[in-house]
Amino acid sequence: MTKPHGVLILLIVLCTPCAFGKIKVEKPVTEYNANPIGIDIAKPRLSWQLISDVNNSLQTAYEIHAADSPELLKGNKKLLWNSGKVTSDQSVNIEYAGPALKSAQRVWWQVRVWDNKGNASAWSEPAYWEMGILSPTEWTAQWISRKEEKGSHPCQYFRKDFSPTKKISSARVYITSLGLYQLFLNGKKVSNDLFTPGWTSYNKRLQYQTYDVSALLGKDNAIGVILGDGWYRGKIGWSSQDGYYGNKLALLFQLQIKYTDGTSETIASNNDWKVTTGPILASGIYDGETYDARLELPGWNQPGFKDNNWEMVEILQHSKDMLTAPQGVPVKAIQEIHPVKIITTPKGETVYDMGQNMVGWVRLNVRGNKGDKVILKFAEVLDKQGNFYTDNLRSAKSTDTYILKGNEEEVFEPHFTFHGFRFVKLEGFPGTPALNNITGVVIHSAMEPTGSFSCSNALINQLQHNIQWGQRGNFLDVPTDCPQRDERLGWTGDAQVFSMTAAYNFNVAPFFTKWTKDIAADQLPNGKVPHVIPDVLKGEGGSTAWADVSIIIPWTVYRVYGDTRILETQYPSMKAWVDYMKNRAGDDYLWTEDGHFGDWLAFASTNSDYTGATTEKDLIATAYFEYSTKLLSKIARIIGRTQDADEYEKLAQKIKNAFIEEYVTPKGRLVSHTQTAYALALSFDLLPEQLKGKAAEYFANDVKKFGHLTTGFVGTPLLCSTLSSIDRDDLAFMLLTRQQYPSWLYPVTQGATTIWERWDGQKPDGTFQDVGMNSFNHYAYGAIGEWLYSHVSGINYDLAYPGYKHILFIPHVGGGLTQATGDFTSMYGKITSSWKLENDVFTYEVSVPANTTATAVLPNATLKDVLINAVPAEKALKDAIKLDGNQLSVELGSGNYKFQYPMPIKK
């Protein structure tokens, strides 16, 4: 990261008077998860956090023990692996180095550490991981399916009774499906996971899940499984036809029971299972669910159910070679929202306002007569007249239908669909609806929240709220573009530009690790990366900025989590993409003429003197060609591929030279004189040194000329950060705080609770943009969140020490803000950067986790005026002072620090 303009770096270490303190190890995780079961990684990585009650605490060594049981760990006997005392400050992603692991093997582990003050911690509480099925040959289960009538898509119900023969020690279910499944044992749902087995490139990678069901088994048992179409057989992508991946649903189920006498038994899906259909008449991603409670099958998933009229299953010949354990996080119901009011629209519609554009469904509570039909329809907005509006959903019906069985209180939640909505229209409700008749159920991938940002401007706080809710709504196993219309696809460009903001808000390491494997799986043999992942557009792809996701997201995961394995795993995919661009560019190193999305949805001016902010697609393509090639060179060097690193470094320089010759005038003006073009050229370092100042001037003048942004999906994420890098925070904050269209805050003033796809999805007169493409939950423009965290609050990684092993605190005051606070929980612990400006006094507080260090930059500070933890800086700093202007920075060890000094507010 480059140093801010005019900032003096001083070497200051604040020492604690206490040389002795207690340290302990907390939060042991394996592959980013606490006690995961069913993984298939040959060398799992272990991480932990160091907790210390003194400042400047660093780990100097660790020791890891691994064993087959916690008792063996405590006894320090028959260890699988003893790392010995390893001199190292590493506490993140340490590879297991014991004997090769076997299927279903559970490994218990614990760690102790030593610090830089001579203290040794106690051993951590035992943690564990458990392996899944490591070879396709170990699947004894068979794929089972139902013979179906053509065109009939009700959900399928599978069941099997069994009775264990001995006393059970442990039991594991390994399960997957073609389609989505819900699993029950003895009438109880086995897991809260939703939309399992997840969405992957099904023909190349199909996830299975592992569940510990030891406590659910009894003397007599029943297995019950419901299958729905999901992404596998339902409508997906542009096709109006069902069955993109296949036309038959199927189940693969394997229950492995271990008995206390050392023997084992396997209950597997085979031809003696039974199947039927039931109350779920249809359940699709786009169109919703129809449930007829009159067709329920009471007790179907419990022992002893009479299934004489059920059909025998068919065996489906389908490969198991693509089966893989999950590396992401499951989708779950995360929270519930209660409606804020019931509206009667001008058309007389009964509409619930949830108060928040959300993703999931509503739980319906209803009492009525047998055969009553309640219809729930979902929308993001009301139209100008206040009526229910669904035109922007295109062909998606987004409708749930519940048919009552009658004469009792009934509760309905759909099984295999989700909706993006704020408003719910209720039709056919028996009686007068009340607020408590529906409850919103919010679902998304169960990512751990890691970041928060707030400031003194309420509109910016709402913007941050909208950014996080946009991520919640669209990170649903894959990073979708939108959650409501007939699309909901894993658009690569959206995820690429938003990836760093995403990583501030939530721990996305496992989420992106899973998704990038599908990028590699669906990448074409020539290196072209599809537009959407998983690819359901039949190979359409290769667009600049979109396909560069193959490099940029692994690079984001490395920077934020210090994860080198994702670089190693994805390297062939990254290299293939750069080589594809090289082949498309030809001998002149300019990538021209291919089809690209360009600066998607850039502002189009109505000013007759200005035709719009159209940036040449060829310029964008060549810029990204250079940028990704340069990143690939850095990545190759990090993972030890020196020859590749040198080769791609030279290639990047040739591309840069070609870019300058083709797109930059001798006076520093770009042939596409747009904010996006300058943001790309400056942020990607594509200009000769002597022309950077002139290009920066052109850039700033364009922003001043319009007084607003003119950028689209490509330019917007770089806009404020690039202005800040050329010392034009005045313009960056002006863009941030602008409330008129086009701006980030304009949708906020219009009542938005998520990020919009377009700057003017809803126009000032209350009318809407093009119904063909007008999502009100589309996170891409929320990429400004990265700048809020890194620039305004000031929390930054240091590329020399990735994963926030060394933190850069660089706060900035501007935009009329008097306070800003950012929190981020790294792999090492919680980082806080909080400042306020009150009565001409600047107060800045930071928190540095144990086993990390930091550099805190103090804006506009004079050394003699600075107090550090109420001690004059000149006294605290002793001899480590170098003066260069009136700004300074402080080198910090772990701990909490408070800086105060005068900072008169400019009037």
Side-chain angles (χ1 to χ4, degrees):
M1 181 164 186
T2 57
K3 298 174 185 176
H5 178 73
V7 170
L8 167 68
I9 302 296
L10 299 183
L11 300 178
I12 304 166
V13 178
L14 299 183
C15 298
T16 175
C18 179
F20 304 100
K22 293 181 180 180
I23 59 170
K24 59 181 178 179
V25 175
E26 289 189 352
K27 297 187 177 179
V29 295
T30 305
E31 292 297 331
Y32 300 103
N33 291 297
N35 300 332
I37 68 171
I39 68 174
D40 61 3
I41 298 166
K43 295 182 178 180
R45 296 168 300 171
L46 313 177
S47 305
W48 57 86
Q49 291 183 6
L50 179 66
I51 307 298
S52 175
D53 60 2
V54 296
N55 285 1
N56 305 314
S57 184
L58 293 170
Q59 176 186 296
T60 58
Y62 67 81
E63 182 177 11
I64 301 172
H65 285 179
D68 285 325
S69 71
E71 292 76 22
L72 291 175
L73 274 183
K74 292 178 182 177
N76 201 21
K77 298 175 181 178
K78 295 184 180 180
L79 295 177
L80 285 173
W81 175 45
N82 181 353
S83 71
K85 185 176 180 179
V86 179
T87 300
S88 172
D89 65 352
Q90 186 180 2
S91 59
V92 173
N93 289 333
I94 290 89
E95 277 192 358
Y96 165 78
L101 299 165
K102 301 175 183 178
S103 292
Q105 181 178 2
R106 175 170 288 196
V107 178
W108 292 83
W109 68 281
Q110 58 185 173
V111 60
R112 63 175 174 175
V113 302
W114 289 263
D115 71 5
N116 55 333
K117 305 180 191 306
N119 301 309
S121 76
W123 286 99
S124 65
E125 288 297 315
Y128 62 83
W129 77 85
E130 184 174 305
M131 305 304 290
I133 296 178
L134 303 184
S135 170
T137 61
E138 296 179 89
W139 284 92
T140 60
Q142 296 175 286
W143 286 103
I144 57 175
S145 188
R146 174 179 179 262
K147 184 177 181 180
E148 299 172 77
E149 296 179 9
K150 198 168 185 180
S152 176
H153 277 202
C155 290
Q156 301 172 7
Y157 289 65
F158 293 77
R159 72 178 314 276
K160 165 75 174 177
D161 285 329
F162 70 97
S163 298
T165 57
K166 304 174 185 177
K167 187 176 180 180
I168 295 172
S169 171
S170 65
R172 300 288 184 273
V173 165
Y174 305 94
I175 180 173
T176 189
S177 59
L178 305 181
L180 302 178
Y181 72 82
Q182 288 189 358
L183 170 64
F184 302 83
L185 273 177
N186 299 328
K188 295 180 180 179
K189 195 175 179 190
V190 168
S191 170
N192 293 324
D193 297 351
L194 301 172
F195 296 94
T196 47
W199 190 12
T200 54
S201 303
Y202 288 131
N203 298 330
K204 301 160 189 171
R205 283 176 18 89
L206 175 60
Q207 296 180 141
Y208 67 88
Q209 281 73 38
T210 303
Y211 297 112
D212 182 349
V213 295
S214 307
L216 296 179
L217 298 183
K219 181 180 178 181
D220 297 309
N221 302 276
I223 304 161
V225 182
I226 309 175
L227 295 189
D229 289 350
W231 298 282
Y232 185 85
R233 193 177 70 165
K235 292 178 183 177
I236 198 71
W238 306 141
S239 174
S240 61
Q241 301 299 313
D242 298 341
Y244 182 85
Y245 292 99
N247 292 313
K248 285 194 75 75
L249 302 182
L251 170 67
L252 190 69
F253 175 96
Q254 191 159 309
L255 169 61
Q256 297 189 181
I257 302 173
K258 292 182 181 179
Y259 295 115
T260 55
D261 65 0
T263 61
S264 63
E265 182 181 5
T266 299
I267 309 295
S269 51
N270 55 29
N271 57 10
D272 66 359
W273 286 51
K274 289 195 170 182
V275 63
T276 192
T277 58
I280 309 175
L281 303 182
S283 190
I285 300 292
Y286 293 161
D287 290 342
E289 180 164 308
T290 298
Y291 187 99
D292 189 341
R294 299 170 300 179
L295 303 178
E296 287 181 342
L297 307 164
W300 73 274
N301 51 18
Q302 295 179 353
F305 176 79
K306 302 300 181 184
D307 57 12
N308 298 348
N309 60 343
W310 286 38
E311 308 163 33
M312 299 305 297
V313 299
E314 292 185 336
I315 300 299
L316 180 69
Q317 300 303 319
H318 191 83
S319 176
K320 302 168 192 169
D321 291 342
M322 81 291 289
L323 297 180
T324 184
Q327 283 189 258
V329 290
V331 177
K332 291 182 180 288
I334 304 297
Q335 68 182 93
E336 296 186 351
I337 292 179
H338 298 284
V340 295
K341 59 183 174 181
I342 299 176
I343 302 166
T344 300
T345 71
K347 289 184 177 180
E349 306 155 313
T350 299
V351 175
Y352 285 82
D353 180 0
M354 305 305 295
Q356 171 65 51
N357 196 349
M358 55 170 282
V359 174
W361 54 75
V362 296
R363 180 189 308 118
L364 172 68
N365 291 270
V366 61
R367 178 185 289 271
N369 298 320
K370 183 177 182 179
D372 285 349
K373 182 187 291 187
V374 179
I375 298 174
L376 300 159
K377 296 186 176 181
F378 300 86
E380 294 185 288
V381 291
L382 303 179
D383 68 14
K384 183 177 181 178
Q385 289 73 37
N387 293 310
F388 196 71
Y389 178 84
T390 58
D391 289 354
N392 68 319
L393 305 186
R394 301 191 303 215
S395 69
K397 295 178 182 177
S398 294
T399 300
D400 291 341
T401 301
Y402 181 74
I403 303 171
L404 280 68
K405 55 191 171 187
N407 302 318
E408 62 181 71
E409 186 74 23
E410 301 180 44
V411 179
F412 166 68
E413 291 187 55
H415 297 73
F416 301 116
T417 190
F418 63 90
H419 311 284
F421 65 98
R422 173 173 172 172
F423 298 96
V424 184
K425 182 165 73 169
L426 190 65
E427 296 178 349
F429 188 85
T432 303
L435 284 174
N436 62 2
N437 284 122
I438 71 168
T439 302
V441 180
V442 178
I443 69 168
H444 58 79
S445 288
M447 305 166 292
E448 177 188 0
T450 53
S452 65
F453 173 87
S454 63
C455 67
S456 54
N457 185 317
L459 294 179
I460 296 174
N461 292 340
Q462 182 65 41
L463 172 65
Q464 167 68 7
H465 169 99
N466 295 0
I467 292 168
Q468 291 192 320
W469 273 89
Q471 183 173 352
R472 288 187 181 102
N474 283 291
F475 276 43
L476 199 155
D477 206 50
V478 304
T480 61
D481 58 325
C482 61
Q484 75 296 92
R485 68 189 181 212
D486 57 350
E487 193 165 352
R488 314 185 200 188
L489 305 179
W491 280 95
T492 51
D494 304 51
Q496 183 267 114
V497 299
F498 187 74
S499 61
M500 186 57 78
T501 298
Y504 274 113
N505 289 331
F506 294 90
N507 182 347
V508 292
F511 180 89
F512 279 145
T513 297
K514 176 255 185 186
W515 190 61
T516 53
K517 287 182 178 293
D518 288 301
I519 293 176
D522 276 342
Q523 192 169 13
L524 276 62
N526 65 358
K528 180 192 285 188
V529 175
H531 296 324
V532 301
I533 301 293
D535 176 26
V536 292
L537 302 183
K538 300 181 179 179
E540 293 181 18
S543 176
T544 188
W546 273 249
D548 295 277
V549 70
S550 58
I551 291 177
I552 291 172
I553 282 189
W555 182 240
T556 296
V557 174
Y558 169 73
R559 289 178 291 168
V560 176
Y561 307 101
D563 190 328
T564 57
R565 182 176 286 175
I566 195 171
L567 301 182
E568 295 163 349
T569 301
Q570 297 300 124
Y571 186 77
S573 170
M574 293 188 264
K575 187 175 184 296
W577 169 241
V578 169
D579 289 346
Y580 172 85
M581 289 190 287
K582 180 182 177 183
N583 291 333
R584 299 304 300 163
D587 295 337
D588 62 359
Y589 304 106
L590 297 171
W591 189 8
T592 60
E593 298 183 1
D594 281 356
H596 301 287
F597 293 113
D599 194 24
W600 190 249
L601 297 182
F603 170 77
S605 176
T606 57
N607 186 331
S608 59
D609 297 328
Y610 187 74
T611 58
T614 302
T615 306
E616 278 191 55
K617 294 179 180 180
D618 292 349
L619 181 151
I620 297 172
T622 303
Y624 262 98
F625 178 24
E626 191 276 346
Y627 180 61
S628 284
T629 303
K630 185 164 50 186
L631 287 184
L632 183 62
S633 174
K634 293 178 180 179
I635 290 166
R637 208 169 297 284
I638 289 166
I639 64 176
R641 295 176 179 260
T642 306
Q643 185 175 345
D644 279 2
D646 293 341
E647 175 186 337
Y648 288 110
E649 184 177 13
K650 292 175 184 176
L651 176 59
Q653 185 59 53
K654 291 175 181 177
I655 303 166
K656 178 177 178 178
N657 294 340
F659 180 93
I660 293 169
E661 184 176 352
E662 184 74 10
Y663 299 115
V664 186
T665 71
K667 293 186 178 181
R669 182 185 176 100
L670 295 177
V671 295
S672 284
H673 190 62
T674 65
Q675 293 172 17
T676 291
Y678 287 107
L680 285 168
L682 289 163
S683 63
F684 288 1
D685 192 23
L686 288 168
L687 299 168
E689 196 64 35
Q690 70 274 16
L691 294 181
K692 289 181 180 178
K694 190 61 180 175
E697 185 179 338
Y698 280 127
F699 179 34
N701 286 340
D702 192 77
V703 174
K704 286 193 292 184
K705 171 185 174 183
F706 288 99
H708 61 72
L709 52 79
T710 62
T711 50
F713 275 34
V714 171
T716 299
L718 304 173
L719 189 55
C720 284
S721 61
T722 309
L723 286 169
S724 295
S725 74
I726 63 170
D727 212 15
R728 293 308 305 264
D729 260 7
D730 58 325
L731 295 176
F733 276 104
M734 179 272 290
L735 294 178
L736 173 67
T737 56
R738 175 182 166 87
Q739 297 178 30
Q740 299 77 25
Y741 162 76
S743 68
W744 285 285
L745 296 186
Y746 168 72
V748 174
T749 67
Q750 298 297 300
T753 60
T754 45
I755 299 297
W756 293 354
E757 180 176 20
R758 294 175 177 269
W759 294 118
D760 60 343
Q762 179 174 302
K763 299 177 182 180
D765 66 0
T767 60
F768 296 127
Q769 254 284 0
D770 177 15
V771 297
M773 193 171 60
N774 197 25
S775 163
F776 291 94
N777 192 349
H778 222 90
Y779 60 79
Y781 284 145
I784 185 63
E786 176 185 353
W787 188 76
L788 296 178
Y789 280 107
S790 66
H791 194 79
V792 181
S793 74
I795 299 175
N796 296 270
Y797 65 88
D798 182 345
L799 190 55
Y801 306 93
Y804 295 90
K805 179 67 169 155
H806 181 75
I807 305 150
L808 300 176
F809 291 113
I810 313 175
H812 292 82
V813 178
L817 300 183
T818 58
Q819 177 272 328
T821 298
D823 291 309
F824 174 70
T825 301
S826 74
M827 293 293 289
Y828 298 95
K830 187 175 181 179
I831 301 165
T832 298
S833 177
S834 179
W835 60 263
K836 68 177 179 180
L837 190 54
E838 187 176 29
N839 298 324
D840 289 345
V841 174
F842 184 73
T843 302
Y844 184 40
E845 298 182 72
V846 300
S847 294
V848 184
N851 203 31
T852 68
T853 57
T855 301
V857 173
L858 306 181
N860 304 316
T862 301
L863 181 60
K864 65 181 180 63
D865 296 328
V866 177
L867 297 178
I868 304 178
N869 291 348
V871 178
E874 287 183 305
K875 180 178 179 181
L877 305 183
K878 299 183 179 179
D879 299 325
I881 300 175
K882 294 180 181 178
L883 294 177
D884 181 16
N886 65 345
Q887 291 188 323
L888 55 86
S889 68
V890 186
E891 296 297 320
L892 303 172
S894 64
N896 300 316
Y897 302 92
K898 182 177 181 179
F899 305 90
Q900 283 188 306
Y901 53 91
M903 184 186 288
I905 300 175
K906 295 180 181 179
K907 304 298 183 183

